[in-house]
Amino acid sequence: MIIGGFLSLVTAFGLLRLPDVYTRNHAASKSATLGVMSILLATFLYFYLEHGHFNSRLILAIIFIFVTAPVAGHLISRAAYNSGVKLWDKSVRDDLKDKEEYERQNSST
Amino acid sequence: MLYTILQITLLCVSLSMLGLIYRVIKGPTTPDRVVALDAIGINLIAIVALVSMVLDTFAFLEVILLLGILAFLGTVAFSKFLEKGEIIERDRDH
């Protein structure tokens, strides 16, 4: 539970500090997911140990967040790239930049 | 002891939500705001879980699953909107 709180704090710090959309997305999708999963695991263990109440919905929620949060991060990142958001100006390489050129070469040969 | 830990964790999550709200307000591009809103939804799940431990009740645990599903759906809809300009596209135009 402490780990979860600490990780969500790390998320917020990363979202405040990092320079562009993609690194912020990196911080948000990973550390927030792991933090919430540990908090939900703590909740599940609390109810199971204190009350003997086996709550399957919490396990389902843990699995669901584990599956969907990286997918959501990927979708947002791809949408940001395709809608033309600039990378950080210190980025070194951009492999998707000349994708159209690459496709043109492939279709000509 | 457990109550103290719960309060410290709630404080951490609330601070993190404050940071995310700052990012939603200030964020220079739209995907920034969507990312921050998604993370706010996920943090809201954590807050609901912690509050259900503070209040010692099982009644809020469905809300956790529901919020997870809604945050995911909202993020997918927004990213489709950013990428293609519409959310539910029509395949056949004739």
Side-chain angles (χ1 to χ4, degrees):
Chain A
M1 202 155 54
I2 293 177
I3 296 173
F6 176 69
L7 275 178
S8 50
L9 205 61
V10 167
T11 307
F13 192 67
L15 255 78
L16 289 183
R17 276 304 304 270
L18 290 174
D20 72 346
V21 183
Y22 306 100
T23 48
R24 279 198 283 267
N25 196 356
H26 173 87
S29 57
K30 275 198 262 303
S31 57
T33 306
L34 191 59
V36 171
M37 276 170 61
S38 55
I39 285 180
L40 287 184
L41 190 64
T43 315
F44 172 73
L45 284 180
Y46 173 75
F47 283 127
Y48 187 54
L49 296 179
E50 293 278 315
H51 299 271
H53 174 84
F54 186 85
N55 199 298
S56 55
R57 285 181 288 270
L58 276 175
I59 294 184
L60 203 59
I62 292 175
I63 296 173
F64 188 81
I65 288 174
F66 181 66
V67 170
T68 59
V71 177
H74 168 77
L75 280 174
I76 280 298
S77 181
R78 203 182 59 166
Y81 193 89
N82 285 342
S83 61
V85 177
K86 292 281 182 295
L87 296 186
W88 187 29
D89 49 359
K90 284 183 193 165
S91 303
V92 222
R93 56 184 295 178
D94 185 0
D95 280 341
L96 284 178
K97 191 172 58 185
D98 38 24
K99 189 179 66 172
E100 290 162 9
E101 247 175 87
Y102 178 73
E103 281 170 355
R104 209 179 309 128
Q105 281 176 359
N106 270 9
S107 63
S108 66
T109 55
Chain B
M1 178 61 195
L2 188 68
Y3 194 67
T4 322
I5 295 178
L6 274 174
Q7 286 200 328
I8 292 172
T9 318
L10 266 177
L11 185 70
C12 284
V13 179
S14 317
L15 282 180
S16 132
M17 279 188 82
L18 268 184
L20 292 173
I21 286 172
Y22 168 76
R23 180 51 69 192
V24 169
I25 292 172
K26 185 178 165 288
T29 61
T30 317
D32 256 331
R33 297 196 171 95
V34 180
V35 166
L37 276 176
D38 187 39
I40 280 181
I42 287 181
N43 267 355
L44 205 60
I45 296 173
I47 285 184
V48 170
L50 292 171
V51 166
S52 78
M53 266 194 282
V54 168
L55 298 179
D56 211 0
T57 169
F58 310 140
F60 295 148
L61 300 180
E62 287 90 356
V63 179
I64 294 172
L65 196 52
L66 191 64
L67 272 179
I69 295 171
L70 282 182
F72 177 63
L73 279 185
T75 313
V76 169
F78 256 113
S79 61
K80 276 197 85 167
F81 175 70
L82 286 175
E83 199 167 345
K84 297 179 178 159
E86 56 187 350
I87 297 174
I88 304 173
E89 68 233 52
R90 284 179 292 176
D91 288 336
R92 288 170 294 184
D93 280 337
H94 53 79

